[in-house]
Amino acid sequence: MNRIANVMIGGREVSSNTSPLIVAELSANHNGKIERALNLIDAAADAGAHAVKLQTYTADTLTIDHDGPGFRIEGGLWDGRTLYDLYQEASTPWAWHEALFARAHDRGLIAFSSPFDESAIDYLESLGAPAYKIASFELVDLPLIECAARTGKPLVMSTGMASFDEIGEALETARAAGASQVILLHCVSSYPAPADQYNLRTISHLSTQFDVPIGLSDHTRDNSTAVAAVALGAVMVEKHFTMSRDDGGPDAPFSLEPEELADLVDA
């Protein structure tokens, strides 16, 4: 039996006893317009999602404005772009967060976010964030995990970039700092991620190894991987979400459209 039989996020139980929590990840799909971000929240609610997730950072809190080795992306969806340029385009302005949280609340959705530094956690605390998502790339940022855990809120931690030893260290850090509710998300940090790389047996392996509920952060192009993951025990599914992939944007190629999100909820 899991050490944590269930997790409560925004008043909703997330466990094997309930249907999976479906999280629409807005990420960069606002395309620089708050009206579009608000419309995405409405569309997620209409599709039947249970939660929306933001990302709380600025280009300056993540990297430096530099073009050189290690700061220019090589290969993949964002090939040739500098990290600073990508993060500047993709970030959700902090000034929008209060309005986005309010719209989600009005539509009956849970709203939470991925902070990328301690100042982001402080800001999200002021908005009453009910949980924190630790992104795959930040799972080795133990001071960030410790700061989030000290809030006493549930933590959702993605594992896409981590070894099993690193996952264990992250969990130990979270628990030592006071986190009593943790969900791990199985993830493949490719954008988009080929379905045949997901190795969904990892879900049961993570559950056995770490004794916590397991969900899925899904970067594939359709819903089949997510549906199979739930059949194998995933208690939460996070999918990037956009109004239309034809509208472009950094995350559009691996994001669901409203009808597809509704299909995922039904499935």
Side-chain angles (χ1 to χ4, degrees):
M1 179 178 292
N2 286 339
R3 180 187 304 180
I4 304 172
N6 60 70
V7 172
M8 298 295 295
I9 297 179
R12 189 183 193 279
E13 180 179 337
V14 186
S15 77
S16 59
N17 299 321
T18 65
S19 59
L21 184 76
I22 305 299
V23 180
E25 164 67 82
L26 271 60
S27 187
N29 286 321
H30 52 71
N31 291 0
K33 299 177 181 178
I34 189 172
E35 295 81 6
R36 181 181 172 91
L38 293 167
N39 289 339
L40 279 166
I41 291 172
D42 288 338
D46 291 342
H50 308 114
V52 293
K53 193 183 76 65
L54 312 180
Q55 296 183 9
T56 307
Y57 66 86
T58 69
D60 291 305
T61 60
L62 279 184
T63 187
I64 60 174
D65 190 1
H66 177 70
D67 185 359
F71 293 88
R72 181 172 286 276
I73 300 168
E74 298 180 3
L77 184 61
W78 305 303
D79 183 44
R81 300 190 64 175
T82 66
L83 292 174
Y84 191 89
D85 174 60
L86 178 63
Y87 294 147
Q88 197 165 42
E89 178 186 357
S91 63
T92 301
W94 290 26
W96 296 3
H97 279 52
E98 186 173 3
L100 298 180
F101 270 58
R103 178 63 66 86
H105 181 267
D106 289 345
R107 293 303 312 269
L109 295 173
I110 301 163
F112 66 110
S113 187
S114 294
F116 287 79
D117 74 323
E118 294 187 11
S119 69
I121 294 173
D122 290 341
Y123 178 59
L124 291 165
E125 278 292 284
S126 75
L127 298 177
Y132 292 101
K133 160 76 183 293
I134 304 298
S136 292
F137 287 79
E138 310 307 312
L139 200 67
V140 293
D141 187 345
L142 300 183
L144 178 69
I145 292 171
E146 184 176 10
C147 181
R150 286 199 303 265
T151 69
K153 307 288 180 62
L155 299 188
V156 179
M157 302 200 296
S158 196
T159 63
M161 298 294 291
S163 68
F164 267 65
D165 286 343
E166 289 168 339
I167 296 168
E169 189 173 17
L171 272 172
E172 289 175 9
T173 298
R175 286 169 171 156
S180 60
Q181 299 184 79
V182 180
I183 296 172
L184 293 177
L185 299 186
H186 175 45
C187 177
V188 174
S189 293
S190 298
Y191 309 91
D196 62 4
Q197 291 184 7
Y198 256 86
N199 188 18
L200 293 178
R201 290 181 180 178
T202 303
I203 291 170
S204 61
H205 189 189
L206 287 169
S207 179
T208 301
Q209 183 81 10
F210 297 111
D211 210 21
V212 296
I214 309 299
L216 182 75
S217 179
D218 184 7
H219 300 141
T220 64
R221 294 182 186 270
D222 61 28
N223 290 328
S224 56
T225 301
V227 173
V230 172
L232 292 171
V235 300
M236 175 178 178
V237 173
E238 177 187 87
K239 290 282 282 189
H240 286 243
F241 177 61
T242 187
M243 298 301 293
S244 171
R245 285 184 291 274
D246 291 340
D247 293 342
D251 298 345
F254 55 94
S255 297
L256 296 183
E257 296 179 351
E259 184 176 347
E260 294 165 333
L261 181 62
D263 288 343
L264 174 62
V265 173
D266 290 342

